[in-house]
Every structure is written in structure tokens, then in C-alpha cells.
Amino acid sequence: LVLLGATYGSLRDANLGPWLGTAFVAEAAGLALLAAVARRHLPEFTRDAISFLLGALTFASLALPAQLDGAWVSAGWAIEGVFVAWFAGRTHSPIFRAAAVILGATGLCKSLFFDPTLYRNPPDLFLNGRFAVSLLSAVAFGLQGRFLPAERTASGPRHAFPQIGRAHV
């Protein structure tokens, strides 16, 4: 968070605001590289490797909203939800599972229900940025379901939605 604030403050003070998204992508790549090096040299995920990876995910997800505006901010939340869902599937973390669902739902709901730019400049009727971002957010939310494993209980895996039409034993 300190690195995020320092980057934002430095670029804002230097009047380089249009480069904020590019700087966030570069920092995400650097942190992802550090996470990859830590993962290669450590037998399992440690808190250090996880913090590098979460930093990379945070910078990557904030790059799109920092560079663009309007409905495209929702795309950043939806994409971050997919990344966190993939990570939750790899680490079997219930906290990351919940964070992924919240991020994906936020991206989808913001693109569908709340877009202040819609009221300032009415877009084209059907094919517009809001429609494209809503479609991307819906696809991203569906991808999260592929990455998130079923919860495991003492009696076996528990799925969020049981199979309809099958007898449960």
C-alpha cells in the first residue's frame, strides 16, 4: 500500500497522471517476478511469496481503472476477481475465495446497475462501452466458477448448487 501511494503521489506531483496505469502494470510485473522467484526457491507458498503475488494482483487490477474511466473501472474489478479466484483455487483459501466472489460481483453489479457516466452522456442504445464491460464482467464471473474448487467437508465435497434431478445419498 505504501508503494501504491508513493507511485500515485510521485506521478501526480510530476504531472504524469496519464502514465499511472503504465506504472501500475510495470510494478505488477515486478512483483509477479518476485513472487515467481520466491515460488521457485521455496517448497510451498509462504507469506512473503503470497504478499508479492497479492501486490502484483492489486497493481494489475488497479492499472485499468487508473488509466481509464467510466464503465471500464468495472472491468478492472472483474479481472481482479478472476485472478484472485485462480489464486484461491491454488491455495484453497476461504478468505481469497470470498474476496474473489466479492470482487467479481462488484465488477458485474457496478457495470450493470451503477454507472454515473450513463447519466451525463447517454450512450448508444445497445453496442456501447457499458454493454461490452457488462459482457466481460459476466464472462469473468463465470470463469471464477471454473477456478474455485468445491468446498470440502468431512463427508466429501460440497457444491454450492446441488445437481437437480439426482438423488442425494
Side-chain angles (χ1 to χ4, degrees):
L1 292 176
V2 171
L3 182 60
L4 180 71
T7 302
Y8 177 76
S10 298
L11 290 177
R12 186 191 63 208
D13 292 344
N15 292 327
L16 295 173
W19 290 95
L20 189 60
T22 306
F24 282 177
V25 168
E27 289 175 352
L31 289 170
L33 180 65
L34 287 173
V37 169
R39 177 69 176 128
R40 178 176 296 161
H41 295 292
L42 299 172
E44 61 185 30
F45 276 113
T46 63
R47 290 178 189 232
D48 298 331
I50 289 173
S51 66
F52 285 138
L53 189 57
L54 286 177
L57 291 174
T58 301
F59 276 107
S61 65
L62 291 176
L64 192 61
Q67 196 67 39
L68 301 173
D69 59 351
W72 297 102
V73 173
S74 302
W77 292 109
I79 292 169
E80 183 178 9
V82 172
F83 288 137
V84 173
W86 171 81
F87 187 68
R90 298 281 302 218
T91 61
H92 304 288
S93 170
I95 293 172
F96 290 128
R97 172 195 290 272
V101 172
I102 289 170
L103 288 168
T106 300
L108 183 61
C109 290
K110 184 187 175 303
S111 65
L112 288 175
F113 302 120
F114 180 74
D115 184 13
T117 60
L118 179 69
Y119 304 110
R120 282 184 262 150
N121 301 323
D124 294 334
L125 182 61
F126 185 64
L127 296 176
N128 55 45
R130 185 176 180 203
F131 174 77
V133 170
S134 297
L135 185 62
L136 173 73
S137 297
V139 168
F141 201 58
L143 278 175
Q144 287 183 14
R146 302 285 292 165
F147 290 136
L148 291 174
E151 287 185 34
R152 301 211 182 271
T153 61
S155 61
R158 186 183 84 190
H159 298 281
F161 301 103
Q163 298 291 331
I164 298 175
R166 290 190 178 176
H168 296 286
V169 178

